[in-house]
Amino acid sequence: MTNEAIKKFIRAADYISAIQIYLQDNFLLTKALAPEHIKPRLLGHWGTCPGINFTYAHLNRAIIEHDLNMMFVLGPGHGFPAIQANLFIEGTLSKYYPNFPRTEIGIADMAKHFSWPYGFPSHSNPEAPGVILEGGELGYALATAYGAVLDNPNLIAACLIGDGEAETAATATAWHLSKLIDPATNGAVLPILHLNGYKISGPTMMGRMNNEELNDLFRGYGYEPYFVDAYSDDDVHATMRRTLDEAIKNIYFTQHCAREKTLTKNPRWPMIILRTPKGWNSIKYIGDKRIEDNHYSHQVIAENARKNDGERAQVEEWLHSYHFEELFDGERFNADIESLIPRPDRRMGDNPHTMGGERAFKPLVLPEVDSLAYTATCQIDDPLCGEVSSMELVGQYLRDVIRANEGARNFRLFSPDETYSNKLQAIFEATARCFVWPHKEWDKDLAWDGRVLEMLSEHSLQGMMQGYVLTGRNGVFASYEAFVQIIGSMVDQYAKFLHVAREVKWRGDIASLNYILTSTGWRQEHNGFSHQNPGFIDDILQRQGCFSNVYFPADANTALVVMRRMLASKKEINVLVGGKRPLPCWRTVKQAEEDVRSGISIWDFASDENPHIVFGAAGDSMTKETLAAINIIHDVVPKLCVRFVNISSLSAMGMGANGCSVLPHDLDYYFTPDKPVVINFHGYPQTVKQILFDYDVSGDRFTVHGYEESGSTTTVFDMMVRNRVDRYHLVMDALKAAALQGVITEADGQAKTALFEEKIATHQAFIIEHGDDPEEITNWSWQSRL
Ligand SMILES: Cc1ncc(C[n+]2csc(CCOP(=O)(O)OP(=O)(O)O)c2C)c(N)n1
Ligand SMILES: [Mg+2]
């Protein structure tokens, strides 16, 4: 394959990229370009495309000559016309979309439907084969690529990163991810930093750094930078070719040494720093406005081409400059171009790792949870019943999952340095944290090939998990509840990807994206206000559709059942919200399974027939506190009949999860048609109110308590009081209901309410004096109604 062939390939790809942005007719320019040939709305991003096409063509050459198993992760997803052009040329597009054949008709339809209503989107997206990254929000390419190569020892992920993108926090931190890649057991990422010098309207930081500065920076990160420079290299194609050969050789050498166990120091992975003019080989100037090699080429250049004869003439001249007629005869591409198309399963657009399903997805073998479950539940007045940490049991379960899937190497835990803090450390009985840079003798649980990925960058972890899961493996992200918000927007983008991907027929099954949110706000009494934020729950519940679920296991046994269910599910986004501190265990595994299946259940042991009031609780701390309130009600107003309903999951569709949420007409079954209902919710009250809106319930009948943004460094119980989710406030709600329904007199209700107000004041005085909650609170345990 000659460089001349590569140049022809690039010319064809550039031409096909450009016509997608401009033309709705006359696609092969067989006639003079007329206004009606130009799309009425010119949409798309040209400037980045030539650099993408240059890279793609050269990678194709390397794939063929070295028989590489390579996938392509594109950072600047706004360069989608280039991806689409390459998918078209290599035949992947017509494979998955036979209505866009590799013919003149196919080119016409494809170009016309780019950025066209009900056609192809403007950015890289899940409808495009080979794509595993929603291309709109920049910054996530590098981490995604690193996730893809984990446990894929023969895969190379070429990752093109924009120089604007490189300014994002997410990309800045992702350079470190090479320190988590054991070359013996993982594939390699080949980062290609595309310095076209500009973002939307200004220069880039890295674009204005000189080679020495860039070299220092990236050597500092641990890379071996190679420079390819379209401005200064005599023959940039020769340099790129040589560079790729050398980079591949280095990757193979590092992997070979690691696999032969002769690698003695940190691997130094290659990376390419590619300088090209933005909008390379297009219109140089419009009037005196510099276009090529300037930010003005970022989007549509000559945006008045439909109306302005001069601009249209410039576009026509530019498009003719590719001499596409020499490259494509209406039925087939020129032989040189064909020679650069890898065999089908080596095409980057059709790399099996990117497809999910049978070609990539390795589901987990999931052990049963029974052997780990706690057997003495607190609901039966068992004196042996104790308190158990959900996270400790979940940690043990994840350990067993790792053991059961050791050979398949298809599971990873992602955590921002919190596996210990979140009490999931049982996992280290089966594996370690992966860390490839130097170890100290006294380091704990570190290995080059650990299943646990820890780095204090939620962005990097999220990107890696996405890359890992979208290439067919399984992962769990465990985080403090408050700080997982940092990646809220990334998860949003993933949810958009999934929303569309679920409808794309040729995308096979993949695992769900699973989160554990722990160290929750209710037990951050020592860290205080900054660590109290249940907002991620809302992020997830805003996702319309039936694939995002938030689970609130009431106890450790239910947490085990939820964890197993999440790991067994496919194509969902699941969140388990649970505490790490010991709490009472209420449910046997069998009961927990039923609770989780229905998402909402009446707990008989705490419920009376014909209730006057219904209490609902979602969350482990909320469940305990609500049951404590019910115990007090039994004592204070024995005649008041109470029902307890546990809500173990919510989704965008309502109460319950996995698309089988409680239907509006079933709500009365749980909450009665007419009695007052008090819901004690783990997160913000507004979240549940929003869900109730769709059930069309009366605001008068339902009271929702939850986190009211009132936090501090205080006692556990005071946190509850400040947010009115404590037992005393709940009892006061019950007294109000009792008086209204004539179970007690109004005067009695007021007198008793005053007692509980006083109790709250006494409690406050007590904690100010003693620094902790009284034993009456801390030693509470469930007592059945006599
Ligand atoms: C996180 C994020 N912030 C801002 C934008 C808006 N945006 C779209 S393209 C772009 C410039 C990108 O520059 P670069 O990465 O250098 O891409 P290229 O020059 O290759 O087009 C910006 C800021 C975005 N898409 N994502
Ligand atoms: Mg740029």
Side-chain angles (χ1 to χ4, degrees), residues 45-49 52 75-76 78-79 123 135-140 160-168 194-201 204 278 298-299:
H45 296 76
W46 162 250
T48 191
C49 291
I52 298 172
H78 47 276
H123 287 61
E137 192 168 281
L138 298 171
Y140 313 140
L160 192 73
I161 301 146
D163 47 358
E165 181 188 16
E167 293 172 14
T168 61
H194 186 200
L195 302 185
N196 60 14
Y198 297 91
K199 319 184 265 257
I200 295 178
S201 68
T204 59
K278 193 154 183 168
H298 177 70
Q299 264 181 2

Side-chain angles (χ1 to χ4, degrees), residues 187-240:
V189 172
L190 177 59
I192 303 165
L193 176 62
H194 186 200
L195 302 185
N196 60 14
Y198 297 91
K199 319 184 265 257
I200 295 178
S201 68
T204 59
M205 312 290 181
M206 288 191 185
R208 297 283 162 102
M209 286 165 72
N210 65 33
N211 287 5
E212 197 186 341
E213 289 162 342
L214 290 165
N215 192 55
D216 288 350
L217 176 67
F218 287 104
R219 281 194 69 80
Y221 273 120
Y223 293 89
E224 183 66 58
Y226 291 87
F227 288 86
V228 177
D229 193 331
Y231 296 89
S232 62
D233 293 339
D234 291 340
D235 179 349
V236 66
H237 295 283
T239 320
M240 184 66 169

